[in-house]
Amino acid sequence: MKEILEKLKDLFKGEDVVKRHCMLLLLLLLPSFMGSLRFIIDKDTPKDILMPALCVFAVLLLLCIVPLITFSGFAADFYNRKIKNKSGLPELNFGTLVNGIKLLPLQIVWGFYGLILFGVIFLTPLFAGILTLFKSSNTEPFIIVGFFIGIIFLYILTLIIFVLLAPFYGYAYFTFIEDYVYRAEYFNPFLFVKYMKMVFKETMLVFLKFFVVGLVVSTVVSIISGVVGMFGGVFAVSLGMIAEPNAQNPMFTPVAMAIIIPMATILTMISTYSGTLVGFAAGHSYIDIYKKEIRLPDPLENTEKEQENQEETPNQEPPRNNDDWVE
């Protein structure tokens, strides 16, 4: 528990703490606003509101590409700071976006590997089960129930596998962001095996600890958001009824939506922000494992350390040969 608290505290150390956390929130603003539209895009949404909302959602989806790539670079800069033993969040600048773009090839390739794994674990058995079900003349209820139970089991199994493998992908990611040089080994789909052999136990311990922390934090934030959202929604609907007494659905009146959308955006942003901080703290612990067990020291760093040691050690007179003494 002490290690977890230290990692969380470290996020609020360093230079310009308030400014850098505000920059992180700013990065999350547009995606959070897009996420808030889920509260008004529904089958019960009036058509005169649904179509404009869908158009706005599509535009925001495109606009979110830049902040999401920038956030990727921000995370890389954060982990790079941890490798160099620097506290706090990184600075947000144009280089953050550039670093995010550099990460795209790695993310695309590993995303493709993820799709293949998802197809093997989940989609292939799913389609095989559907074909078997349609070809079978026996469609008793317990078989259909068993089929759906099997789908749920496959989904949970797939989720567990992806969650367990994610930290080991992180070690290749950490190596890459040290110099942003593409090497063939970073795209090797079996790189997981190498890292699992090296640090499986240590990685799983960190994963389990922060999984519990993330679960607690998300539960607390969800409860608070639910309570605030409920009272805020009641307040918004009440104002909508007052403003337009004859409205069929007061929730979709302009007055109500002027309250609901900003409130939903803020709640979504807070939820994402808290989850991001827990993720950063977990990543910091993975960085410690990476530095101790996996990382190859940079020769330049060793040279710098030797120079520092030489500067700290006073110059000593070399020992003289006995022949130099004259009796």
Side-chain angles (χ1 to χ4, degrees):
M1 189 63 185
K2 183 179 178 181
E3 177 192 353
I4 295 172
L5 291 175
E6 286 298 321
K7 295 298 188 263
L8 291 171
K9 286 180 183 178
D10 186 79
L11 297 169
F12 298 92
K13 296 178 181 179
E15 301 177 357
D16 302 325
V17 175
V18 176
K19 178 183 175 182
R20 295 187 181 188
H21 278 266
C22 287
M23 290 295 102
L24 173 58
L25 286 168
L26 188 63
L27 274 180
L28 301 174
L29 178 59
L30 195 59
S32 298
F33 178 57
M34 183 185 70
S36 70
L37 293 179
R38 71 183 185 274
F39 292 100
I40 62 171
I41 297 177
D42 190 76
K43 62 180 181 179
D44 298 324
T45 306
K47 292 184 179 179
D48 58 334
I49 295 177
L50 181 60
M51 292 309 297
L54 287 173
C55 292
V56 171
F57 183 84
V59 172
L60 288 175
L61 190 61
L62 292 174
L63 293 177
C64 280
I65 292 174
V66 174
L68 288 176
I69 293 175
T70 305
F71 176 80
S72 179
F74 187 86
D77 290 346
F78 170 79
Y79 294 127
N80 207 297
R81 288 176 66 86
K82 301 305 129 186
I83 292 173
K84 297 176 181 178
N85 297 317
K86 294 182 179 180
S87 297
L89 298 181
E91 187 179 0
L92 182 63
N93 50 40
F94 181 72
T96 310
L97 174 62
V98 173
N99 289 341
I101 294 173
K102 290 178 181 178
L103 282 164
L104 284 176
L106 199 68
Q107 293 168 339
I108 291 171
V109 170
W110 280 94
F112 178 71
Y113 293 156
L115 286 175
I116 294 175
L117 185 62
F118 179 74
V120 172
I121 299 173
F122 185 77
L123 293 181
T124 302
L126 176 63
F127 289 138
I130 291 173
L131 288 175
T132 304
L133 192 64
F134 275 106
K135 288 181 179 180
S136 176
S137 58
N138 188 356
T139 55
E140 295 182 9
F142 75 89
I143 295 179
I144 298 175
V145 171
F147 173 74
F148 283 106
I149 292 175
I151 292 176
I152 295 171
F153 172 78
L154 279 175
Y155 175 77
I156 295 173
L157 177 64
T158 305
L159 187 63
I160 291 173
I161 291 174
F162 272 85
V163 169
L164 291 178
L165 290 179
F168 298 100
Y169 156 73
Y171 295 129
Y173 170 88
F174 296 151
T175 308
F176 173 72
I177 63 174
E178 291 213 51
D179 55 12
Y180 291 96
V181 175
Y182 300 105
R183 297 180 177 88
E185 63 187 90
Y186 300 152
F187 302 95
N188 182 355
F190 299 104
L191 200 57
F192 286 113
V193 179
K194 172 186 174 182
Y195 294 137
M196 290 176 79
K197 287 180 179 179
M198 296 174 68
V199 291
F200 182 80
K201 180 181 177 181
E202 298 89 338
T203 302
M204 287 298 100
L205 287 174
V206 170
F207 166 77
L208 290 174
K209 286 189 290 186
F210 278 96
F211 177 78
V212 174
V213 172
L215 192 62
V216 171
V217 171
S218 64
T219 301
V220 172
V221 172
S222 297
I223 292 172
I224 295 172
S225 298
V227 172
V228 173
M230 182 181 67
F231 283 104
V234 171
F235 177 71
V237 170
S238 300
L239 288 182
M241 292 174 66
I242 294 171
E244 298 184 26
N246 298 323
Q248 293 183 353
N249 194 334
M251 179 180 175
F252 295 104
T253 59
V255 174
M257 287 194 295
I259 297 173
I260 291 173
I261 293 177
M263 180 182 65
T265 300
I266 293 171
L267 292 176
T268 303
M269 188 163 58
I270 291 173
S271 177
T272 308
Y273 171 73
S274 61
T276 299
L277 294 186
V278 173
F280 279 171
H284 190 174
S285 292
Y286 292 130
I287 284 285
D288 290 342
I289 297 172
Y290 167 74
K291 289 169 63 178
K292 184 179 179 180
E293 305 291 344
I294 297 174
R295 186 187 186 224
L296 295 176
D298 188 342
L300 181 60
E301 290 181 5
N302 293 334
T303 304
E304 290 174 351
K305 288 180 181 178
E306 290 176 2
Q307 290 176 351
E308 290 175 0
N309 292 333
Q310 289 178 0
E311 291 174 358
E312 293 175 359
T313 305
N315 292 330
Q316 298 179 352
E317 185 178 344
R320 293 180 292 179
N321 192 294
N322 290 334
D323 295 338
D324 294 337
W325 290 91
V326 178
E327 296 183 359

